[in-house]
Amino acid sequence: MEAVVAENVGRRYGETVALEGVSVTVETGEVFALVGPNGAGKTTLVRALTGTTDSEGRVSLFGESPRAVNRERIGLLPQSFDPPARLTPRELLGYYGGLYDGARSTDQLLAAVGVSEAADTHYENLSGGQQRRTCVATALVNDPDLLVLDEPTTGIDPAGQRALWGVLEGLADAGTTVLLTTHDMAEAERLADRVALLADGELVAVDSPASLVERHGGESLLAIECVDPPGSVTEGFADASLDGNRLTVRGVAPEAVGDVARTLDERGVAYESLTWRDPDLEDVYLELAGGSVEQPPREGRPVERRTVQPRTGDGENRGVEQ
Ligand code: ADP
């Protein structure tokens, strides 16, 4: 059975259309990520799906309306959840556990999210990652079948993020349906079975990360940081663009990277680094929703030295960076 069915869901705030005509299904046991720029409607959709805001259209959770479904089946972590600073994780989970009959034991929850050792530390003294994992634990007290997390890893450091990923993967492996929103495409790609991209309140694409990348990710990218490149540097390449000193050549197979380097050498174009990468979910995002978002340049995988022979002698080209 589907955990979540949304049909033609819409929501307006005065003149603002926050959501329009959104239809989506989350299967039981699935990890489903909602991505999209700020203001795309992710939080509004989460709220519509969980019955915490009114909406047009039809929503059902496990076959029932969000407000009629047994609340013990749902765990919700809102985006802005800020527990009292002077409570410890043990106290906080004890409080939330008291709201349910048959809540999971506090010790079990602390262990499940990996904060047992900090169980008696005031919330304000926990690391960002420990804080967010504690918050996730509050959404787990009722052992939910569906866990809804609005930006669970925003604002925590990479180690904290990875620890939380481990927690969510463990829950998913144990059969919990997870619906999460995120701004982190690596997170969506790693955790989600399917990703839904929202832009301007509408659903733009829904599919597995691999299918989205295949369909919308475009070709592989070779990024070359040039030293003072002439405007004509893009000539002769089938698909190339110049942005500042960065020359991007698309659709270059890994074994053809050396040919590009030789072409530049023959033309006397010096470069500092040369980086090749496959398209990923971030490219999909930029392709489908990136119009309104300003993006910093992407990091890629450095090309190995054996692929491209750096020029020696004149010291002008360092060839490739490791
Ligand atoms: P996201 O979570 O993707 O950043 P939101 O769902 O928060 O997007 O917002 C979608 C749109 O709805 C935005 O234009 C936002 O300003 C508007 N919006 C959201 N909540 C409210 C509200 N309570 N009152 C008025 N406008 C709102």
Side-chain angles (χ1 to χ4, degrees), residues 13 16-18 36-45 47 79 151 183:
Y13 295 102
T16 307
V17 180
N38 287 327
K42 301 180 296 297
T43 294
T44 305
L45 182 55
R47 297 190 62 209
Q79 195 174 326
E151 295 193 20
H183 279 291

Side-chain angles (χ1 to χ4, degrees), residues 42 46 68 80 100 120 162-163 165 182 188-189 198 208 233 256 291 294:
K42 301 180 296 297
V46 163
S80 47
Y100 294 92
D120 299 308
R162 269 162 208 282
W165 287 351
T182 182
E189 199 156 5
L198 270 178
S208 67
V233 70
E294 202 174 304

